[in-house]
Amino acid sequence: MSLTIDCLDRSRFKGEKDSLVLFAWEPERLDAEGWLDARKEKGLEEIAQRENFKGKPAEILIHYPEKGEPVTRLVVAGLGRKKEAKADSFRDAVAAAIKASLKQTDAIWVDIPRWPEKISLTILAQAAAEGAILASYRYAKHKSSDADKKDILKKVTLVVEKPEEVEAVKTGIKKGQILAEAVNFTRDLVNEPPSRKRPLDLAKTAKSLGSKQISVRIYTKAELQKMGMNAVLGVNAGSVNEPVFVHAVYKPKNNPKKKIGLVGKGITFDSGGLNIKTPYNHMLTMKMDMAGGATVLACLKAAEKLELPVEVQAFAPFTENMPGNNAYKPGDVIQAYNGKTIEILNTDAEGRVVLADALAFASKQKLDAIVDVATLTGAVLVALGDKITGLLANNEKLAQELIAASKISGEKIWQLPLAQEYKDRIRGKVGDWANISTRGATEPGTIIGGLFLEEFVDSAPWAHLDVAGTAWTDTDIPTCPPGGTGAIVRTLLEYLSNAN
Ligand code: BES
Ligand code: MN
Ligand code: ZN
């Protein structure tokens, strides 16, 4: 279960049996003013030196003081260099400290350090709450042993110097909590085994988000047939599990000035279809191919919790991409929802095919902007790796708004050009648009994917976030264990928070 996060001022500190987290800059080390007297601070400095602790980002030093000290366990977390200090430094340092404490203590106190730059207490508190909740995430529902399932840590208390600072911190905690819980919701769905999150299962999950302010419409296979959502149906043809198309709308209490559409790729398992993925390890993580769909649902729910003044519409086509007797084939031509035809040259480029219908459908809803999130191309991993999301857009203002939001969230994104020079490469021989370019090694895969999608948006400003690299991590990082990351959820929520 999620951690409780609270704030108190120092005069109310009573942590005799608890852990305390203090912070250290590199290379100055400890910032323990008001916590330790000069002699003890010197003692801790000596320990740090012996342990070769430098205060590097997310570096951790753990010390068990002798009896009679105010706490039984002291965690020192590195913030890195002062002149590079951002809210991210604090988020990561808190995450590392919490991660090192999950099984050690049930309550932990976190000192909010004095910050060199003008970052408000509210922003620091938000970062701390996010760091703590993200670090405590685990996906253990299919583990049978208690050791895997249970943590001891229940409560995190942020400590400020003065009572009048508590309010500002509580505001930050509240926002951080909502954002981090949206990320963890996304991680849960991404980590779920593929046969436990079939399209109809995810339709149920989407339905469960409904409320007074959120309406959820599920289109079934029969309805998609009537509507002419042939691209979704084409990708689905090899699967025995019916597709669904989710359209969910969050309406704020007051009439919104803006309506924003979020479109998510929802391939619940990508086998590649008849162009089956080889070698075998390329298929190992393909339950994550619905990360975009999970992301847009998470953002919709969080928009309601944050009481954002904008209307948010989420669109997600959910289907498996499977080989089968009825599967769509290279050479097939499919007419998408907007009437344009798609010539299938590779059944493994299925994400852009389902998004063609979804973007065309979203384009009919009179939105002020459309942002899609998709694990679209392996090429984005080659270009930007697993820490940077690719961005393509037909509108520079929207691109800049997303980049600005990513500077607040600390999730890196990098814009690639929607270079029309390459458009000819996807002109179809038989149909309007081919779903891949056939030049092989010289093809800029992520740009090609974006150029294809562009054909299915109408006049609205549109941006595409390729999270194929960032939606999953193979390695353990302070804010995330291996598996689904929930990448870009916080960025989209920062974007929506400012989009009015
Ligand atoms: N879901 C994959 C993209 C992907 C790759 C996501 C690696 C996460 C990690 C997508 O459907 C796909 O298969 N793309 C192909 C496109 C190609 C056939 C043009 C790819 O990138 O290889
Ligand atoms: Mn694929
Ligand atoms: Zn895919």
Side-chain angles (χ1 to χ4, degrees):
M1 257 338 282
S2 192
L3 292 172
T4 316
I5 306 188
D6 204 356
C7 175
L8 289 176
D9 70 272
R10 260 189 211 189
S11 69
R12 299 175 59 197
F13 174 74
K14 46 170 173 27
E16 292 78 10
K17 295 202 175 58
D18 305 335
S19 292
L20 170 67
V21 185
L22 299 177
F23 295 89
W25 297 101
E26 179 188 3
E28 291 163 38
R29 303 221 170 89
L30 204 57
D31 179 2
E33 203 180 287
W35 287 109
L36 304 174
D37 64 31
R39 186 181 60 82
K40 285 187 189 129
E41 185 165 339
K42 192 150 179 293
L44 193 56
E45 292 254 345
E46 280 167 16
I47 293 169
Q49 202 141 18
R50 261 207 314 275
E51 300 280 322
N52 201 21
F53 174 84
K54 297 232 158 55
K56 287 187 183 303
E59 193 185 1
I60 294 290
L61 174 74
I62 293 169
H63 174 58
Y64 294 88
E66 283 161 26
K67 281 215 174 75
E69 295 292 319
V71 287
T72 50
R73 181 170 173 272
L74 203 56
V75 182
V76 186
L79 292 168
R81 294 189 182 278
K82 238 181 196 166
K83 61 174 197 298
E84 288 153 26
K86 292 194 222 103
D88 308 346
S89 324
F90 194 43
R91 185 186 305 105
D92 284 350
V94 172
I98 296 298
K99 195 158 207 160
S101 308
L102 289 171
K103 291 194 185 296
Q104 273 67 32
T105 177
D106 66 344
I108 196 164
W109 301 75
V110 177
D111 175 48
I112 299 193
R114 277 157 309 164
W115 213 258
E117 258 190 283
K118 286 188 234 78
I119 298 182
S120 70
L121 268 178
T122 303
I123 299 273
L124 285 176
Q126 183 190 330
E130 289 172 4
I133 294 171
L134 296 175
S136 71
Y137 177 79
R138 64 184 56 222
Y139 183 74
K141 71 188 254 200
H142 304 296
K143 291 280 189 186
S144 51
S145 93
D146 262 11
D148 287 319
K149 281 173 124 73
K150 287 213 178 96
D151 287 327
I152 300 168
L153 188 63
K154 304 233 156 30
K155 181 152 193 191
V156 178
T157 309
L158 306 183
V159 192
V160 287
E161 265 179 70
K162 305 180 199 109
E164 61 269 27
E165 292 171 333
V166 170
E167 248 346 276
V169 169
K170 286 197 171 164
T171 307
I173 291 175
K174 200 172 160 212
K175 182 170 177 192
Q177 223 156 0
I178 293 171
L179 266 61
E181 275 160 16
V183 173
N184 288 348
F185 171 87
T186 307
R187 290 173 176 180
D188 271 343
L189 289 180
V190 171
N191 288 332
E192 190 75 358
S195 299
R196 300 179 61 109
K197 56 173 174 197
R198 292 179 175 143
L200 285 168
D201 301 320
L202 293 181
K204 251 190 225 154
T205 307
K207 264 279 177 213
S208 75
L209 304 180
S211 67
K212 231 166 139 186
Q213 283 176 272
I214 293 181
S215 59
V216 184
R217 174 79 161 92
I218 309 289
Y219 294 94
T220 60
K221 182 174 178 179
E223 288 170 303
L224 296 179
Q225 281 164 338
K226 277 190 215 130
M227 293 156 77
M229 288 255 198
N230 301 318
V232 175
L233 292 163
V235 171
N236 177 257
S239 169
V240 295
N241 299 302
E242 296 199 355
V244 299
F245 183 80
V246 177
H247 179 201
V249 181
Y250 157 69
K251 281 194 196 299
K253 292 210 173 86
N254 295 322
N255 230 4
K257 279 206 221 92
K258 278 205 172 154
K259 299 182 179 182
I260 311 285
L262 302 177
V263 179
K265 169 176 173 181
I267 301 296
T268 60
F269 186 73
D270 182 10
S271 70
L274 290 173
N275 293 106
I276 200 153
K277 287 187 182 292
T278 53
Y280 87 100
N281 57 327
H282 284 186
M283 220 190 283
L284 282 179
T285 57
M286 281 304 133
K287 67 175 181 181
M288 61 84 105
D289 215 19
M290 38 55 76
T295 297
V296 301
L297 293 180
C299 288
L300 191 83
K301 196 63 192 172
E304 179 191 43
K305 291 187 190 161
L306 291 166
E307 300 181 61
L308 296 185
V310 290
E311 178 170 318
V312 183
Q313 300 201 11
F315 306 86
F318 288 114
T319 175
E320 295 179 331
N321 181 25
M322 298 292 282
N325 283 327
N326 200 37
Y328 80 144
K329 307 162 186 74
D332 272 342
V333 176
I334 296 169
Q335 185 169 38
Y337 186 71
N338 68 350
K340 294 191 187 181
T341 57
I342 304 169
E343 184 172 341
I344 303 299
L345 299 182
N346 188 320
T347 62
D348 199 10
E350 84 298 337
R352 61 198 74 182
V353 178
V354 297
L355 286 174
D357 272 352
L359 288 168
F361 183 86
S363 294
K364 286 221 182 337
Q365 313 303 317
K366 298 200 172 57
L367 301 164
D368 295 290
I370 298 176
V371 180
D372 80 68
V373 186
T375 47
L376 205 73
T377 64
V380 81
L381 254 161
V382 179
L384 302 173
D386 67 354
K387 305 249 185 294
I388 306 174
T389 294
L391 164 68
L392 291 110
N394 70 0
N395 179 287
E396 196 48 32
K397 183 165 169 279
L398 177 58
Q400 289 308 321
E401 285 167 356
L402 288 164
I403 290 169
S406 84
K407 300 234 159 97
I408 300 172
S409 71
E411 300 184 290
K412 292 215 165 81
I413 63 183
W414 191 259
Q415 189 177 5
L416 298 170
L418 196 63
Q420 302 303 321
E421 293 89 321
Y422 299 133
K423 197 72 132 194
D424 281 345
R425 298 191 185 189
I426 51 168
R427 284 187 203 282
K429 288 199 177 75
V430 179
D432 296 333
W433 298 101
N435 76 332
I436 59 161
S437 145
T438 46
R439 294 218 196 168
T442 62
E443 125 168 323
T446 305
I447 295 175
I448 296 284
L451 287 168
F452 179 91
L453 297 180
E454 186 188 19
E455 291 304 317
F456 298 88
V457 280
D458 215 344
S459 52
W462 157 78
H464 160 59
L465 292 163
D466 193 335
V467 291
T470 48
W472 187 266
T473 179
D474 288 324
T475 56
D476 201 8
I477 50 180
T479 48
C480 191
T485 60
I488 231 68
V489 168
R490 288 189 300 107
T491 301
L492 285 173
L493 288 169
E494 297 289 3
Y495 159 72
L496 292 173
S497 301
N498 294 315
N500 48 358

